[in-house]
Amino acid sequence: MKFEVIEQADAWVVAQQGVEVGRFERQGLALDEVARLLREAEVGDAGVALSMRYRPPSGPA
């Protein structure tokens, strides 16, 4: 099972297995949703992956 939390211009998107399952105003809310989904999932020994994808910084570094 794979989860992604993706930063977009106006939202944090939570995806499970590549499918969007929610949009949130704050990163913390998106991570809370991932935690809730993990508690409800029956993962067993299969394992779980979580990746975070941030927007590239805008402007000069």
Side-chain angles (χ1 to χ4, degrees):
M1 182 177 300
K2 181 179 178 183
F3 290 96
E4 291 179 280
V5 177
I6 306 156
E7 182 182 20
Q8 294 186 345
D10 61 344
W12 288 87
V13 176
V14 174
Q16 181 179 0
Q17 301 296 116
V19 177
E20 183 178 319
V21 295
R23 287 182 169 264
F24 302 88
E25 292 181 13
R26 297 191 331 256
Q27 181 185 28
L29 294 173
L31 292 171
D32 287 346
E33 176 66 3
V34 171
R36 184 189 69 77
L37 292 168
L38 287 171
R39 282 192 294 274
E40 292 178 356
E42 294 185 21
V43 178
D45 293 332
V48 174
L50 171 63
S51 67
M52 300 286 295
R53 207 170 357 151
Y54 295 94
R55 275 188 317 188
S58 58

